[in-house]
Amino acid sequence: MTEVGESQAGGKAKPRGKAQVAHRKPTMSDVARLAGVGTMTVSRVLNGTVPVAEETARRVQTAISQLNYRPNELARAFRGQKSKSIGLIIPYLYDPFFANCAHAVTTVAKEHGYSVIITTSNEDPETEYAEADQMLQRNVDGVVVIPASLSHSRLTRTLFGKTPVVAFDRPVSDPTVDVVLVQNTAGARRIVEHLIEHGHQRIAFMGLSRSLFTINARFMGYRRALQEAGLHEDSFFGCGSQGETLTSLKEKLKGLNAPTAILTSNTLATRYVLSSLLHLGVKMPSDIAFAGFDDFDMAEFTSPPLTVVRQPAQEMGRVATSLLFDRIERGEVPQTGNRIVLPVEIVLRRSCGCKHRLPVVIH
Amino acid sequence: MTEVGESQAGGKAKPRGKAQVAHRKPTMSDVARLAGVGTMTVSRVLNGTVPVAEETARRVQTAISQLNYRPNELARAFRGQKSKSIGLIIPYLYDPFFANCAHAVTTVAKEHGYSVIITTSNEDPETEYAEADQMLQRNVDGVVVIPASLSHSRLTRTLFGKTPVVAFDRPVSDPTVDVVLVQNTAGARRIVEHLIEHGHQRIAFMGLSRSLFTINARFMGYRRALQEAGLHEDSFFGCGSQGETLTSLKEKLKGLNAPTAILTSNTLATRYVLSSLLHLGVKMPSDIAFAGFDDFDMAEFTSPPLTVVRQPAQEMGRVATSLLFDRIERGEVPQTGNRIVLPVEIVLRRSCGCKHRLPVVIH
DNA sequence: CTGTTAGCGCCTTCAA
DNA sequence: TTGAAGGCGCTAACAG
């Protein structure tokens, strides 16, 4: 007699079809009772694991829809040790790049019938660790993460145990973790080479912070291109605010060796640099040529349209998540993780000095 | 290399005394056994519900950290009928506006110690319904949702039962659901009035689709302002693609009654209109004045900087989520939902014809 | 203050 | 093909 104790209002022993008021959600045994079968039969009909007599199955189906029964996913997850959910940890959601990544993750998860538990780390390794731990306590079946800056890190196999993890956009130190990146270095290098082809000899790199993997990698590409051309570096890594960016730029531009071209490390730096250039009355590309790393919706409609390195944000999220599901479905812990590097595109618009009426995309 | 060396697939059937190998996660009774107490005592130490002798508590704490025990949140949720998680449903994550909203939601949830299950509806009521249902099966304690366009229907109390729901950005038809909106109509009206003050008599509204609540509401504001000024409407609702927008704009601009000013319905429309204007060689604000609904990161760096109505995206997400937690904590089902309308700001830059060097924000 | 009992809803295991 | 038992990890409700 399962007769749930708290007979508040609707605790009829015999469920009478729709009489089941919205008080307590119907359970599998409610269905079983109504259909006159055992709970296991209901379970089987639901999961299709083992054949059930057609007639019985129909009775069960009827009972299910009469009661409007829905399996309790929480109980399932609890019982089965797998929650059909994955965790997603990203630095911020207000950054369109990260948001695009996240979009792809949720999309792929939905295709696999999984739920996504999302959280933001605010670029803080401690928060990130705590959130990952929290997700693990919720028995997520896997985690995709854009690791917080330089979290060398607290994100290790030890924490995750046998739960699969895939890092993307930025790597983690643990070599058993899969990682999906883009060609940061090669992309930066190519666009600097392009600037050099335009005849520039003094090219500045305006960056956010070298402690971010992606930005450092881009800087390395910039450096490499300059070295190969026998040119000098000129970099700044404090584009974290409008003020600092403006100050730095003003300083650079008044010297005799003022740069004639700029490469920014990411969209935030681009924004601050653009704004500073505007303040200073410096025109692109006549006074200075410009290229940015990371494309964004409006890059085509600024004045002039911006030449950028375009990263496949959604693609990266998609690949990372697919990889995660591979791991989840295989169920084995990898000895060594994959390292996938996705190609970037160079989008030539006008800020670099090109005259194309429409953007030219180089793969 | 970080010595992760536990024998991967081999480690089972080891003595299960205190030598807890990393195979099975430690449970509360493992802790209890090690500390020499009952499971309830562990539970009490963990939850601080009932006083526990200091000495005992210490022993338990020691055992917990020795085993690196973490409570199984899934079991807790299952047992307690509440999951400490909320659901978030939005149309897309790649739209920066929605992403900002989502950011605020996750932030507030974290402050309350809740997890967020996120999903995208792709503006499809069916998907939305299915996803909401799915979340309910996972026993979320509440749901915040930006309803899919015209989903007047499927999101109802009937579906959610006693689970609190808050809609934001767009309302739902069910009057018992709380809703948080912004001043779409008033904002549009005010900015059109501003355009009129600049002397414009023929102002066009370029919109995405009238079937979207927000866009329709903005259109109503536009209409109202025109009516009060005794001017004629001139609207287009097909800015869903570059092509259609361009065609429509070209058409409008060649007539004798060509508009001298444009208001767009949202950022997407803004983008297509800007692009079209560029194609057509029409200059702002000399040839045509421009104002857009919804501010965005780069609006200040387009040529010219854009005058827009700014919506408090994060604020809206924050208010909606706070409201949800009010409901969750109170635990009562509201007879009638709140309807909160947040103010917008008018950001005057140059595209409307203003000459300000810096943006002027009107509250 | 602390322990025991009894499930939450589901599915694996075993028996019929 | 179907059903009964048992337990996943945790915590209310009661003892002691």
Side-chain angles (χ1 to χ4, degrees):
Chain A
M1 219 73 63
T2 345
E3 192 53 76
V4 180
E6 49 241 45
S7 51
Q8 307 246 73
K12 310 248 189 201
K14 286 283 256 176
R16 307 206 285 111
K18 61 248 300 230
Q20 206 34 293
V21 194
H23 178 55
R24 183 173 63 87
K25 281 199 227 159
T27 75
M28 210 158 79
S29 55
D30 291 328
V31 176
R33 214 174 312 136
L34 181 57
V37 299
T39 57
M40 272 318 296
T41 304
V42 179
S43 176
R44 284 171 190 133
V45 170
L46 244 36
N47 299 298
T49 39
V50 171
V52 171
E54 206 177 303
E55 154 63 9
T56 320
R58 212 178 22 254
R59 280 219 317 283
V60 171
Q61 288 294 9
T62 310
I64 287 177
S65 50
Q66 247 178 54
L67 295 175
N68 192 28
Y69 166 77
R70 297 261 170 276
N72 180 332
E73 289 298 332
L74 221 53
R76 269 215 243 236
F78 174 57
R79 179 55 170 69
Q81 317 287 12
K82 48 179 33 338
S83 59
K84 280 271 185 186
S85 70
I86 62 173
L88 168 61
I89 309 176
I90 63 179
Y92 308 103
L93 214 32
Y94 56 72
D95 182 316
F97 175 76
F98 295 142
N100 264 291
C101 294
H103 185 85
V105 174
T106 61
T107 302
V108 175
K110 198 181 324 183
E111 287 165 10
H112 286 251
Y114 273 61
S115 293
V116 175
I117 299 181
I118 195 171
T119 189
T120 51
S121 67
N122 298 311
E123 292 283 19
D124 172 29
E126 295 306 319
T127 305
E128 179 182 73
Y129 185 88
E131 293 292 328
D133 201 38
Q134 167 71 22
M135 285 176 171
L136 260 6
Q137 288 178 46
R138 279 181 189 272
N139 284 20
V140 292
D141 296 339
V143 175
V144 252
V145 53
I146 296 183
S149 52
L150 277 192
S151 64
H152 298 308
S153 80
R154 325 258 346 241
L155 256 31
T156 59
R157 248 294 108 58
T158 316
L159 168 62
F160 290 102
K162 49 201 295 306
T163 305
V165 197
V166 177
F168 68 114
D169 191 47
R170 300 151 21 170
V172 290
S173 52
D174 190 318
T176 69
V177 171
D178 293 309
V179 52
V180 182
L181 306 171
V182 302
Q183 291 181 330
N184 288 293
T185 304
R189 183 175 166 190
R190 281 168 62 199
I191 204 152
V192 171
E193 285 168 358
H194 178 78
L195 256 14
I196 292 173
E197 282 166 17
H198 269 297
H200 296 284
Q201 307 262 42
R202 296 190 302 281
I203 303 171
F205 184 90
M206 299 292 291
L208 187 52
S209 159
R210 244 188 114 169
S211 69
L212 289 171
F213 169 84
T214 46
I215 290 178
N216 185 57
R218 291 163 198 173
F219 175 66
M220 297 309 272
Y222 156 86
R223 166 177 281 176
R224 181 67 181 279
L226 292 191
Q227 282 175 341
E228 300 227 322
L231 301 176
H232 288 297
E233 282 174 28
D234 178 8
S235 62
F236 174 69
F237 285 99
C239 298
S241 76
Q242 178 61 265
E244 288 174 285
T245 308
L246 179 58
T247 306
S248 159
L249 216 45
K250 199 188 296 185
E251 193 61 35
K252 281 190 194 306
L253 291 177
K254 77 176 167 209
L256 279 177
N257 289 321
T260 62
I262 292 180
L263 170 62
T264 54
S265 67
N266 61 349
T267 300
L268 189 65
T270 296
R271 212 153 71 220
Y272 290 139
V273 166
L274 251 39
S275 169
S276 301
L277 257 21
L278 217 62
H279 269 271
L280 297 170
V282 179
K283 298 293 174 216
M284 296 179 289
S286 51
D287 297 338
I288 201 160
F290 179 94
F293 206 110
D294 199 10
D295 198 11
F296 53 92
D297 285 343
M298 283 290 166
E300 194 153 354
F301 309 118
T302 51
S303 168
L306 305 179
T307 286
V308 298
V309 179
R310 179 188 289 159
Q311 317 182 68
Q314 296 212 16
E315 175 72 4
M316 190 162 54
R318 207 175 305 129
V319 170
T321 312
S322 300
L323 202 51
L324 183 72
F325 280 116
D326 278 359
R327 296 295 190 196
I328 291 175
E329 276 148 24
R330 282 230 184 77
E332 30 87 320
V333 184
Q335 287 304 318
T336 85
N338 289 311
R339 187 185 182 92
I340 298 179
V341 179
L342 266 21
V344 298
E345 296 170 348
I346 306 287
V347 184
L348 265 19
R349 291 193 270 241
R350 314 269 199 78
S351 64
C352 61
C354 280
K355 311 280 193 201
H356 315 295
R357 283 197 61 84
L358 290 178
V360 170
V361 178
I362 303 178
H363 297 273
Chain B
M1 252 231 274
T2 355
E3 308 289 328
V4 187
E6 330 263 328
S7 53
Q8 311 274 22
K12 45 185 53 176
K14 273 296 197 177
R16 41 188 300 283
K18 40 190 65 173
Q20 244 344 313
V21 193
H23 179 57
R24 183 174 62 86
K25 281 201 226 157
T27 76
M28 210 156 78
S29 55
D30 292 327
V31 175
R33 211 176 313 133
L34 181 57
V37 299
T39 58
M40 270 319 292
T41 304
V42 179
S43 174
R44 283 171 190 132
V45 171
L46 245 36
N47 298 299
T49 39
V50 170
V52 172
E54 207 177 302
E55 153 64 9
T56 320
R58 214 176 23 253
R59 282 219 316 284
V60 171
Q61 287 294 8
T62 309
I64 286 177
S65 50
Q66 245 177 55
L67 295 175
N68 191 27
Y69 167 77
R70 295 262 170 275
N72 181 331
E73 289 297 333
L74 221 52
R76 272 193 191 185
F78 173 56
R79 180 53 169 67
Q81 317 287 10
K82 50 183 26 339
S83 60
K84 281 270 185 188
S85 70
I86 61 172
L88 167 60
I89 309 177
I90 63 179
Y92 308 102
L93 215 30
Y94 57 72
D95 182 315
F97 175 76
F98 295 143
N100 264 292
C101 295
H103 185 86
V105 174
T106 62
T107 301
V108 175
K110 199 182 322 183
E111 288 165 11
H112 286 251
Y114 273 62
S115 293
V116 175
I117 298 180
I118 196 171
T119 189
T120 50
S121 67
N122 298 312
E123 292 284 18
D124 172 28
E126 295 306 318
T127 305
E128 180 182 72
Y129 184 88
E131 293 292 327
D133 200 40
Q134 167 71 20
M135 286 176 171
L136 259 7
Q137 287 178 48
R138 281 182 189 271
N139 284 21
V140 292
D141 296 340
V143 175
V144 251
V145 53
I146 296 183
S149 52
L150 279 191
S151 68
H152 297 308
S153 36
R154 323 245 10 216
L155 256 31
T156 58
R157 244 298 102 58
T158 317
L159 170 61
F160 290 102
K162 50 200 295 299
T163 304
V165 198
V166 177
F168 68 114
D169 190 49
R170 308 178 337 193
V172 291
S173 52
D174 189 318
T176 69
V177 171
D178 294 309
V179 53
V180 182
L181 306 172
V182 300
Q183 290 180 330
N184 289 294
T185 304
R189 184 175 164 188
R190 282 169 61 200
I191 204 150
V192 171
E193 285 167 359
H194 178 77
L195 256 12
I196 293 173
E197 283 165 17
H198 270 296
H200 295 283
Q201 308 260 44
R202 294 189 304 279
I203 303 172
F205 184 90
M206 299 292 291
L208 186 53
S209 158
R210 244 188 115 168
S211 69
L212 289 171
F213 170 83
T214 47
I215 289 177
N216 186 56
R218 291 163 198 172
F219 175 66
M220 296 310 270
Y222 156 87
R223 167 177 281 178
R224 182 68 180 279
L226 292 191
Q227 282 175 342
E228 301 227 322
L231 301 176
H232 288 297
E233 282 175 28
D234 179 8
S235 62
F236 175 68
F237 286 99
C239 298
S241 75
Q242 178 63 265
E244 288 174 286
T245 308
L246 179 59
T247 307
S248 160
L249 215 46
K250 199 187 296 185
E251 193 60 34
K252 281 191 193 308
L253 291 177
K254 77 175 168 209
L256 280 178
N257 288 322
T260 62
I262 293 179
L263 169 63
T264 55
S265 67
N266 61 350
T267 300
L268 189 65
T270 296
R271 210 151 75 219
Y272 290 139
V273 166
L274 250 41
S275 168
S276 300
L277 256 22
L278 218 62
H279 269 270
L280 297 171
V282 179
K283 298 292 174 216
M284 295 179 288
S286 51
D287 297 339
I288 200 160
F290 179 92
F293 206 110
D294 199 10
D295 197 11
F296 53 92
D297 285 344
M298 283 288 166
E300 193 153 356
F301 310 118
T302 50
S303 170
L306 304 180
T307 286
V308 298
V309 178
R310 179 188 289 158
Q311 316 182 66
Q314 296 211 16
E315 175 72 5
M316 189 160 57
R318 208 175 303 128
V319 170
T321 313
S322 301
L323 202 53
L324 184 71
F325 280 116
D326 279 0
R327 295 295 189 196
I328 290 175
E329 276 147 25
R330 282 231 184 77
E332 29 87 320
V333 184
Q335 287 306 313
T336 85
N338 289 311
R339 188 186 182 91
I340 297 177
V341 179
L342 267 21
V344 297
E345 296 169 348
I346 306 287
V347 183
L348 265 17
R349 291 192 271 240
R350 316 269 199 76
S351 65
C352 60
C354 281
K355 310 281 193 202
H356 316 295
R357 281 197 63 82
L358 291 176
V360 170
V361 179
I362 302 177
H363 297 271

